[in-house]
Amino acid sequence: MQVKDKVVIVTGAGSGIGRATALHFAHFGAKVVVSDIDLEKAQKVADEIVTNFGESLPIKANVAQYEEVENLIQHTVTAFGRLDVMVNNAGIGPKQLLKTAEHTLEDWEAVIAVNQTGVFYGMKLALQQMLKQGSGNIVNVASLAGLKASINNLSYSASKFAVVGMTKSAALEYAKTGIRINAVCPGYTESALLDKLLSARPDMDTMLKSIIPMKRYGDAKEIADAIVWLASDQTKFMTGQTLILDGGTSL
């Protein structure tokens, strides 16, 4: 992967896909800012990178707060002089899986704030820095739920459909500036979100695997591999795309 010495921010990097992505970038020589709402988790990932690969910096940020995302970008540029790659990965699911009429306002507001508005903040502020540089790369983590209907999960589905749309719109706007913007759409992947779902509904494990043609969940490292590839110089003619990684579920 051609990402050596690139300065990369990964949000939600304290666990799951974010952690795997941060480690994967570092493995290929990138300088990684590990951002998470939980600074202790971010610190552990950054320490792992420093011990095994190279440079890393942990920064606490709640992506639903504009000022915290602004600080994240500014701190990164102060430390490393630039921002080459922004991975908007931080995301949450609703506390309760309910049909639309019963969907709680609390879940709607929280999920949209992180998954949709948080990605907007990350894109907006990263783009401002990348325009100054004349180059950059953004990878947004959407979901299969942003491409297909997802019952009892309206806020999550709405937010991920929005991420796909924002990716395409912004990619078109900035294609001629040297900035590329793409998204990945994971299917059911081993992560904190899936663990939460299965702990609430253990019976869903067999059901979910039955609808995945590969009969297994995705591994966070497999999603990370796609994210790093999209951010690398090996995909210079690729922008506005949504890469589906779902074990064939969408088929």
Side-chain angles (χ1 to χ4, degrees):
M1 299 287 191
Q2 297 172 11
V3 295
K4 184 174 175 56
D5 294 326
K6 290 185 184 293
V7 177
V8 180
I9 292 174
V10 182
T11 66
S15 62
I17 292 172
R19 176 182 177 275
T21 299
L23 292 171
H24 209 45
F25 269 112
H27 173 77
F28 287 102
K31 301 171 184 178
V32 185
V33 173
V34 180
S35 177
D36 200 274
I37 196 169
D38 186 327
L39 183 58
E40 185 177 347
K41 288 183 178 180
Q43 183 69 63
K44 287 181 180 179
V45 177
D47 289 345
E48 188 173 352
I49 289 173
V50 171
T51 299
N52 296 292
F53 303 113
E55 295 183 67
S56 185
L57 178 67
I59 300 178
K60 180 179 179 179
N62 176 356
V63 299
Q65 299 298 319
Y66 185 81
E67 295 77 11
E68 294 193 27
V69 182
E70 193 172 34
N71 175 69
L72 170 62
I73 303 291
Q74 291 175 348
H75 197 161
T76 298
V77 175
T78 298
F80 295 108
R82 60 186 296 110
L83 172 61
D84 298 303
V85 180
M86 181 75 182
V87 180
N88 291 305
N89 165 74
I92 62 172
K95 292 180 180 179
Q96 301 178 71
L97 296 176
L98 299 169
K99 291 181 180 179
T100 301
E102 289 80 40
H103 199 86
T104 69
L105 296 181
E106 177 188 7
D107 273 343
W108 175 267
E109 291 164 0
V111 172
I112 295 298
V114 174
N115 295 8
Q116 181 173 333
T117 305
V119 171
F120 165 62
Y121 291 163
M123 291 175 67
K124 175 181 172 64
L125 291 163
L127 282 165
Q128 291 175 0
Q129 174 60 33
M130 291 171 178
L131 286 168
K132 295 175 185 177
Q133 302 166 181
S135 65
N137 198 308
I138 296 174
V139 181
N140 296 322
V141 179
S143 170
L144 183 60
L147 298 171
K148 296 173 67 68
S150 181
I151 63 170
N152 301 336
N153 206 12
L154 190 74
S155 56
Y156 188 80
S157 181
S159 68
K160 294 303 185 179
F161 265 90
V163 170
V164 171
M166 290 190 292
T167 297
K168 291 179 178 293
S169 294
L172 186 59
E173 292 171 351
Y174 296 98
K176 64 182 179 182
T177 68
I179 300 170
R180 298 189 297 110
I181 306 169
N182 293 289
V184 293
C185 291
Y188 297 105
T189 304
E190 293 177 355
S191 65
L193 278 177
L194 181 62
D195 290 342
K196 182 180 177 182
L197 173 63
L198 296 181
S199 63
R201 290 279 306 278
D203 58 301
M204 289 192 71
D205 181 60
T206 301
M207 186 275 286
L208 290 178
K209 286 179 179 175
S210 73
I211 65 173
I212 303 171
M214 288 189 179
K215 303 304 177 187
R216 68 173 178 87
Y217 301 128
D219 188 297
K221 293 178 182 178
E222 294 170 320
I223 313 304
D225 200 38
I227 292 171
V228 176
W229 179 70
L230 284 172
S232 75
D233 291 340
Q234 292 162 289
T235 54
K236 286 184 177 180
F237 201 51
M238 191 172 181
T239 195
Q241 301 305 304
T242 51
L243 195 61
I244 304 171
L245 302 126
D246 66 354
T249 306
S250 55
L251 301 177

